[in-house]
Amino acid sequence: MTLQQVIYERPPEGLSRGKYPAPWWVILLIAVVVVLAAVTFLTVRYATASRAAKGPSAPPKQ
């Protein structure tokens, strides 16, 4: 009886593993875009909320 040795082929270590492998800079780019989108969203939301809190402006005098 002979024993067969099973050889497993594995991908290289790091972020380039998984269903959609990508280099490290792509992950960093996605993180930067997400942070910028969040900051932009919160800035616009804050500006809109502060403008709405002041109430409507007085109509112009004629």
Side-chain angles (χ1 to χ4, degrees):
M1 178 172 167
T2 61
L3 295 176
Q4 292 183 351
Q5 192 174 26
V6 178
I7 298 174
Y8 295 101
E9 293 184 27
R10 297 182 182 210
E13 293 294 325
L15 294 174
S16 296
R17 298 179 66 166
K19 190 172 182 180
Y20 304 107
W24 64 269
W25 57 268
V26 172
I27 307 300
L28 183 63
L29 180 67
I30 291 171
V32 168
V33 167
V34 167
V35 168
L36 287 177
V39 168
T40 303
F41 171 77
L42 292 175
T43 302
V44 168
R45 184 174 175 190
Y46 176 75
T48 304
S50 66
R51 192 173 357 165
K54 292 179 183 176
S57 60
K61 295 182 179 181
Q62 294 182 0

